Amino acid sequence: AMKFSAESLPVEAEIRANFPDMEVELEEGRFGVFKVFVDGVKIFSRIPLIGKFPSEGEITEKIRNMMGD
């Protein structure tokens, strides 16, 4: 079974809520790695152990900026 950090689930839920037509896929990372990609482009990366997870709305804003909304 895949293990996802508790921190990844709110980010997934945020993307699904704000972009219902967007396909969301979680992949298991190693050693606390947390990255968010949109169409293969990395829009967020957390430094393992010391880096912060995205704040609420941060990923939505990055996706909207990328989409030009």
Side-chain angles (χ1 to χ4, degrees):
M2 292 238 248
K3 293 182 178 144
F4 301 112
S5 70
E7 292 87 356
S8 69
L9 301 178
V11 176
E12 179 191 15
E14 177 184 316
I15 294 168
R16 289 186 191 280
N18 290 299
F19 307 97
D21 296 332
M22 189 172 284
E23 183 180 324
V24 178
E25 181 181 337
L26 293 181
E27 292 182 10
E28 186 174 8
R30 296 183 182 273
F31 311 115
V33 169
F34 183 85
K35 299 175 184 173
V36 179
F37 293 85
V38 175
D39 292 334
V41 178
K42 184 169 61 179
I43 62 166
F44 183 90
S45 183
R46 170 188 179 261
I47 299 167
L49 304 177
I50 59 170
K52 69 173 186 65
F53 283 89
S55 56
E56 189 176 338
E58 184 174 350
I59 296 301
T60 296
E61 183 179 338
K62 287 180 181 292
I63 293 173
R64 287 202 171 120
N65 288 342
M66 189 177 176
M67 294 169 69
D69 286 356

